[in-house]
Structures are given as structure tokens and as C-alpha cells.
Amino acid sequence: TVSVLYWPRISSCNMRRSAWDWKPNEHDLAAKVRVCPSTQRPVDVAYRVVGAEATAPVVLLLCGLNSNMEMYHPDFVDALAAAGPFRVVCVDNRDTGHSSHFDGCAASAVPTFFLPRSLGLVTAPYSLGDMADDAAALLDALGIARAVIMGGSMGGMLAQVFALRHAAKTEALVSFNSTTHGPRLPDPSLRTKMGFLRTPRDNSDAALAELKRQWCLDFGIDPANRTRPEFADYFQTTGERMVARSRYDGFQRQMAAIITAPPRDEQLRHVACPALVIVGAWDVVVLPQHGYRTAACLPHARLLVLPTSGHCADPGNHADIVEAVAALHRLACSDSSG
């Protein structure tokens, strides 16, 4: 079920109390929220709104590389919505899910992604700034003046860029397992990089399950968690819902946008809003040093280290995350009222 909305406003008709109320391929669509200046193409943004109160403050939840809004398990989204309470706006980034795909926009060949960034050999058809501007345009389309901007991995990069480009719309910033693209930060291992290129051996459920298990290993899951039933179920549910709305052809363009992004260290030192930086201690994709650097650059940041999480959050850490986000919002409100 898809409802096409032109410059809509959030109301009870397109907001649901639970993320589980949304089926994997179901979404609302904000059509033509902007024209991307880098590609001269109109941008449609697929989104969902989860929450109990139409007047509650908003958390904009941005997803990672080649992911869609299903990267956040429905239980996590529901817990986040209840913590504020918040209205949680979940988004498919451009080139993922049901948002606009930029077919025909050329990016550098994948092998160039493995070469040092300093060589400058990678070109991208659009930037992280373009993607952050899509999110800002969605907020305008939904009539939302300000929000807590939250994202993991590439979504954290987008949240940082959003805060830099749209400070007036940023009530608070949450960067989870992400980076500033600053100098002298460690790269993941070659094995981890190659994990991004792995595909299922066939279209069977068994092949997909095998791939998901390997992704969990590559993405730095605490070994003590690998046999926990609830942990396996978490990734199975998330993976199955993601696959139901996935297209993988945007990976190359999004990865090129990440690689060509300039360092943000100095710019982030001027971010005035409260911030929360979350780091998974077992992350082998964006190593913890990147999160430590992010927290050091943001002048009003709190650092939350999750000792049993890798690049993906241990579901046992959900309560800590949502309470930290709720506390961040309370701090932002007290700062603005003071």
C-alpha cells in the first residue's frame, strides 16, 4: 500500500502507533520534495511515521549504506517512540527502498573504492550533502520545523552533515557508529571491506540466511552474542524486512558519496546543539576510534559506548540507547528554554 502525498502534513492518517503496523513494503511517499542540483532530478522520499501522539517531538531516523528504513528493528523503533514520547520518522535514503533511484548516474568503478582516498580517483554523481538536503526537504514537506536527527553508519554521517547544513532544523544530533572523515583514522580490514561485496550464492532462503550470518561476523558482533537466540532472531527479522524493500544498485553511488566526502572535524567543532555519539566496542566496519573522534569534535557531545555491540546494536542495548536519546532531547529542551 502506497499513498502518494504532495507536501503533506503529519496527521493521524499517516502515523501509526507501532512500527509493526507497517508491513515491509508499505510506506508513505513525499513526492518531488526537491530537485537535486547535482543530478537535476526530482527526489521522492519514502517514509513512515511511528508514534502515539501527533504533537510529540520528532526523531528523524536516517539509515546506512545500501540500507533502508528496515535496518532499524520494529521493536527498537517502538521503544524509541515510547521513550520521548516521540514521533519517529523513518526514511528510505535516495537510491534505497522506495525513494528515488538515480539509475544512469555514473559513479566510479567498485575497485577504485579500495584505493587510498588521498589519490582522488573516486567520483560520485551526488554527495552526502545532497542526501542530507533530501531529509531536510522531507521535514519541510511534513511541516516539521525541528527534529532530533539520528543515524547509524552512513546515516550518522548524514546526521552530521544535516546538522552542519540545517542547524535551525536540528534540535539535537545522534551519530551512531559513524565517522567525521577526519585524517589519520583507521580503515577497516580488507576482509571487512570485501564483506560489502558478498552476495548470496542463489535466491534461496538458506543462502540468504548464510549471507546474513556472515555479515554479522564481518560487522564485528561480540562473539559472546553469536549463539543468543534473541540476537539471531533480531537479525533474521531485520534482514527479511530489509530484503522485502531492497534494491542494491544504489550501493555504488552511495559508497562513492561516502568516499568523496571531505573531512568534517573542524566544522563539527561549531555545532551548537547537544549531541550523542554512540560507539559499538566491537565495530569492525567503522572502528571505535572514529566515534571517539566524533565525540571529541562536537563541543556539546556525550559519548555512549556499547560494550556488547558491533556495527549493529545488540538488542540488549536498546534500553540504554533510547533512554540516552530521550535524555538528550530533554537537555535540548532545557537549553532552548534557558
Side-chain angles (χ1 to χ4, degrees):
T1 302
V2 179
S3 56
V4 179
L5 307 174
Y6 293 86
W7 294 97
R9 294 292 184 266
I10 284 184
S11 65
S12 58
C13 67
N14 66 336
M15 183 172 65
R16 307 196 185 178
R17 297 179 69 90
S18 171
W20 289 104
D21 293 338
W22 292 94
K23 297 177 182 178
N25 270 319
E26 194 177 17
H27 60 281
D28 285 324
L29 189 71
K32 300 180 178 62
V33 296
R34 64 187 290 262
V35 174
C36 172
S38 298
T39 63
Q40 294 302 308
R41 293 191 182 188
V43 181
D44 300 340
V45 180
Y47 71 97
R48 296 175 184 157
V49 182
V50 176
E53 299 181 16
T55 58
V58 174
V59 174
L60 178 66
L61 201 52
L62 301 173
C63 55
L65 173 66
N66 199 215
S67 300
N68 50 60
M69 65 179 77
E70 302 291 1
M71 75 173 275
Y72 299 104
H73 192 283
D75 286 349
F76 173 76
V77 177
D78 285 352
L80 182 60
F86 297 115
R87 288 175 291 166
V88 181
V89 179
C90 306
V91 178
D92 283 346
N93 295 326
R94 63 164 67 189
D95 260 333
T96 63
H98 297 290
S99 291
S100 293
H101 287 260
F102 286 71
D103 301 329
C105 292
S108 295
V110 170
T112 63
F113 298 167
F114 295 88
L115 299 174
R117 291 181 62 193
S118 59
L119 296 178
L121 298 178
V122 176
T123 58
Y126 55 75
S127 68
L128 295 182
D130 289 319
M131 299 178 73
D133 291 349
D134 295 347
L138 175 65
L139 292 187
D140 288 340
L142 297 176
I144 298 170
R146 288 168 63 82
V148 176
I149 312 301
M150 177 174 182
S153 192
M154 184 188 74
M157 304 173 202
L158 296 178
Q160 294 172 31
V161 174
F162 186 107
L164 292 171
R165 295 168 73 98
H166 304 283
K169 298 180 186 293
T170 307
E171 193 159 31
L173 165 64
V174 182
S175 179
F176 183 6
N177 285 345
S178 197
T179 184
T180 67
H181 285 113
R184 298 180 298 280
L185 287 169
D187 282 341
S189 68
L190 181 60
R191 179 178 180 271
T192 299
K193 289 180 180 180
M194 294 300 292
F196 283 107
L197 306 181
R198 193 175 286 112
T199 57
R201 65 176 184 274
D202 55 48
N203 292 324
S204 68
D205 290 343
L208 184 58
E210 177 184 332
L211 176 64
K212 287 185 289 186
R213 284 194 298 272
Q214 190 59 52
W215 277 347
C216 289
L217 295 175
D218 287 341
F219 288 178
I221 303 306
D222 179 353
N225 289 329
R226 293 177 188 169
T227 58
R228 279 171 41 195
E230 71 273 20
F231 201 72
D233 178 69
Y234 175 89
F235 279 104
Q236 180 177 351
T237 300
T238 303
E240 288 174 352
R241 289 177 68 94
M242 283 185 65
V243 168
R245 62 187 295 116
S246 284
R247 279 184 56 180
Y248 296 101
D249 55 349
F251 164 81
Q252 190 171 348
R253 292 184 287 272
Q254 289 188 351
M255 191 67 188
I258 291 173
I259 292 172
T260 56
R264 293 182 294 279
D265 291 36
E266 292 306 315
Q267 290 177 288
L268 291 174
R269 298 186 198 282
H270 301 285
V271 171
C273 68
L276 173 66
V277 178
I278 305 173
V279 174
W282 287 87
D283 192 351
V284 297
V285 177
V286 182
L287 277 69
Q289 293 93 321
H290 291 249
Y292 303 151
R293 172 77 66 83
T294 305
C297 290
L298 290 163
H300 307 290
R302 175 195 169 193
L303 176 65
L304 174 63
V305 179
L306 306 177
T308 61
S309 288
H311 196 59
C312 305
D314 181 337
N317 295 143
H318 283 180
D320 293 333
I321 295 171
V322 301
E323 175 50 37
V325 174
L328 178 73
H329 179 258
R330 290 193 294 270
L331 176 61
C333 291
S334 65
D335 286 352
S336 61
S337 63

